[in-house]
Amino acid sequence: MCIRDRYEWARARWLAPGVPHPANPAKIGYYADYWAALRGDALHAAPGLTEVSNQDYFVAHRAFFFDLSVWGDELPVDDKSQPLGSDRAEMIQIFKDAYRLTRAPGYTGPKMIHIGGFTPWWFKYTKDGPGCPDCKHAGVETEWETMGVVGAYNAFDDGDACCVGAMANSAFYQHYPLPASLVQNPKPTLVSLHQRGLLSPAGKVVPKAYAAYYAGDYDGSAWLYNQLKPKWDDPKRGQVPIGWAVDSELSMRFPVIYPYLYRTRTANDWFISGDSGAGYLNPTLLIPDPKTGKRGGSNVTVSGADDWIAWNKVWYQKFDLTFTGFLINGDQGALNSAAFQMYDSFSPDGVVVTTGHDPTAAGKLNGAAWVDGNGTAVMHHVADLPGGNASAAAAVMVELVRADRSSFRDKPSFYIFRNILQSAGYMVDAAVGAIGAMGGELEFVDPYTMGLLVKCSSKAINCTATNPTLD
């Protein structure tokens, strides 16, 4: 019996229509299995790497659990006897069955499927961990391959990624009562931009380079749980604007930190959503391909756009968010107009894409930005800054901006710099270093200010000081 046979039995028992005591089709756990735990013992792995303690929330919600390889071109290290591609085929079938149940008559739960966990890459399936040095594929490409499967079934990943992925007691934390809404700093207005000297009386954006920080990666509950607070509590926080990309749906598993963040914020601390909104998925997989009529490589022909919009509206409104700091689209290529349109209703102040995923001519320049047909500002994530070395980060920003600025001459340019698990002090020091090297040519602003500046620069709105709507 191969591993797939066991999962076929489990699906028939817990993910089939009409079975007694079914699994919750909107909760799926992707965690290391017993084979991986034994492998970890042999490799002297730290106990937290198996993430057994992370699973309590998903047990409490009757999730369906699996541990399978997404790759169909090599046999998984934990089951060399199976037919090639069996793991991948079974993984896809799990998501097909779960998706089908969320569409069944009488189902009243969420239309989006919440995956907890991540590829157990330290133990198997990738060559980046000691558990499978002979595997063909690396970690990031395995992540992208996985996301290229699940999004087509309305699934997003709450990634407890190695190796800071251990978490405990989320089944208990989930009961912490949050207020109906949490409110952050008042968003910038055209009046405030004029008062700050960022706009001329005629509404023209002062020509210089504008930079904004994306502080992540808090798109997974475990990283939020064990990484954010010491970085947030850095005494230098508040000296430069920072966009803290804390995904709001993570409050399902770790709500207790949110009131603390909102209560202790400074005027320079801003909350935005991380990738790709209220959950990590590839946005274009929610929309059927016009050529095939299907979503990605799946057999799903129904758009998930309305489900995604409804899901995000709840979370964005609850946490006073109107800016999405990163739209990751993985191997699905450039984003399209239908993908951007999903974000217009809940993220009107801006979205951020990698330069290479920008479908417009603006994608050729890092500092370019534009406004879509419904008025949402679109900016570029231009670099992941080197962690732990603020001087090196400053040098990266200066080099990138200087190389880019000659293309803009007397016009503004806009840059989003991503920080992964870095402290506020690191970001302050890097910004100070970059400003010191460039002087008045570079200004750091918060993401919401940048979005409004892009709208003014693109002439999508009337930004003159005499505009009566400013009163």
Side-chain angles (χ1 to χ4, degrees):
M1 176 182 287
C2 70
I3 288 176
R4 181 178 182 178
D5 298 327
R6 300 163 192 168
Y7 282 107
E8 286 180 346
W9 174 85
R11 282 192 294 104
R13 171 60 186 85
W14 286 291
L15 282 180
V19 297
H21 309 295
N24 178 354
K27 299 288 184 184
I28 292 181
Y30 187 9
Y31 290 101
D33 62 12
Y34 185 59
W35 187 97
L38 294 177
R39 184 72 163 165
D41 285 346
L43 295 170
H44 306 290
L49 289 180
T50 58
E51 299 181 355
V52 173
S53 62
N54 297 49
Q55 300 175 32
D56 61 346
Y57 171 89
F58 293 95
V59 171
H61 286 266
R62 295 189 58 81
F64 187 91
F65 287 80
F66 77 93
D67 176 0
L68 295 163
S69 172
V70 73
W71 292 111
D73 61 353
E74 70 173 332
L75 293 171
V77 67
D78 59 345
D79 189 6
K80 294 289 189 179
S81 64
Q82 67 171 254
L84 187 66
S86 293
D87 260 32
R88 178 183 175 87
E90 182 58 31
M91 178 188 291
I92 291 171
Q93 194 60 52
I94 288 169
F95 284 97
K96 280 184 178 179
D97 287 357
Y99 176 79
R100 188 180 298 117
L101 288 176
T102 64
R103 265 66 197 156
Y107 174 79
T108 58
K111 297 294 187 181
M112 300 303 302
I113 297 173
H114 176 196
I115 308 168
F118 205 71
T119 303
W121 63 262
W122 197 92
F123 302 98
K124 46 182 166 176
Y125 309 147
T126 84
K127 61 185 178 182
D128 288 349
C132 189
D134 296 326
C135 280
K136 292 171 58 175
H137 299 284
V140 172
E141 65 173 316
T142 302
E143 171 190 340
W144 283 26
E145 185 72 11
T146 303
M147 301 313 294
V149 169
V150 302
Y153 300 99
N154 275 25
F156 66 86
D157 189 34
D158 174 358
D160 297 347
C162 182
C163 294
V164 290
M167 182 179 188
N169 297 320
S170 55
F172 171 72
Y173 290 130
Q174 68 172 323
H175 299 293
Y176 181 84
L178 287 175
S181 63
L182 289 166
V183 180
Q184 63 170 314
N185 296 324
K187 310 286 175 59
T189 64
L190 293 175
V191 169
S192 67
L193 264 57
H194 277 282
Q195 293 172 341
R196 292 159 62 185
L198 299 177
L199 296 175
S200 72
K204 184 178 180 180
V205 179
V206 174
K208 65 172 73 173
Y210 294 91
Y213 275 145
Y214 173 106
D217 276 358
Y218 306 111
D219 57 350
S221 298
W223 284 29
L224 176 63
Y225 164 83
N226 63 39
Q227 291 293 307
L228 177 56
K229 190 173 184 297
K231 296 167 177 59
W232 173 271
D233 287 341
D234 189 294
K236 290 185 178 180
R237 181 171 54 83
Q239 295 182 26
V240 299
I242 296 175
W244 295 94
V246 181
D247 276 14
S248 50
E249 83 288 351
L250 305 184
S251 61
M252 291 188 291
R253 291 174 66 195
F254 192 50
V256 296
I257 198 170
Y258 289 85
Y260 175 77
L261 297 176
Y262 278 68
R263 186 177 67 251
T264 60
R265 73 185 189 276
T266 72
N268 270 330
D269 294 312
W270 299 85
F271 300 109
I272 61 177
S273 184
D275 50 300
S276 292
Y280 171 26
L281 49 67
N282 296 344
T284 59
L285 285 176
L286 293 164
I287 303 160
D289 187 316
K291 295 179 180 178
T292 66
K294 298 178 180 180
R295 291 164 56 179
S298 76
N299 62 350
V300 179
T301 59
V302 178
S303 173
D306 288 344
D307 298 329
W308 184 238
I309 290 168
W311 174 260
N312 278 273
K313 279 185 174 180
V314 171
W315 296 109
Y316 275 56
Q317 290 170 7
K318 185 176 182 66
F319 291 93
D320 193 20
L321 306 175
T322 49
F323 190 103
T324 305
F326 203 1
L327 301 188
I328 296 180
N329 208 42
D331 288 329
Q332 274 54 63
L335 291 146
N336 54 35
S337 59
F340 286 114
Q341 287 170 11
M342 291 190 293
Y343 290 83
D344 291 332
S345 62
F346 59 85
S347 188
D349 287 331
V351 297
V352 180
V353 302
T354 56
T355 306
H357 279 159
D358 189 330
T360 71
K364 298 176 181 178
L365 294 172
N366 283 317
W370 52 284
V371 176
D372 75 3
N374 291 309
T376 300
V378 181
M379 292 141 281
H380 289 163
H381 156 250
V382 296
D384 291 345
L385 297 180
N389 187 332
S391 297
V396 167
M397 291 190 281
V398 170
E399 180 180 7
L400 190 152
V401 172
R402 281 181 172 164
D404 205 53
R405 276 299 294 164
S406 60
S407 300
F408 293 90
R409 298 179 183 175
D410 61 345
K411 297 180 180 179
S413 53
F414 306 94
Y415 309 88
I416 302 287
F417 293 102
R418 180 181 176 212
N419 299 276
I420 303 173
L421 302 183
Q422 299 302 310
S423 69
Y426 160 91
M427 288 181 270
V428 169
D429 292 344
V432 169
I435 293 169
M438 297 195 67
E441 300 176 67
L442 175 66
E443 181 163 348
F444 276 79
V445 296
D446 66 86
Y448 291 97
T449 291
M450 182 176 285
L452 193 51
L453 289 173
V454 168
K455 294 182 182 184
C456 291
S457 177
S458 302
K459 299 181 180 179
I461 55 176
N462 180 2
C463 298
T464 62
T466 56
N467 179 359
T469 62
L470 300 185
D471 298 332

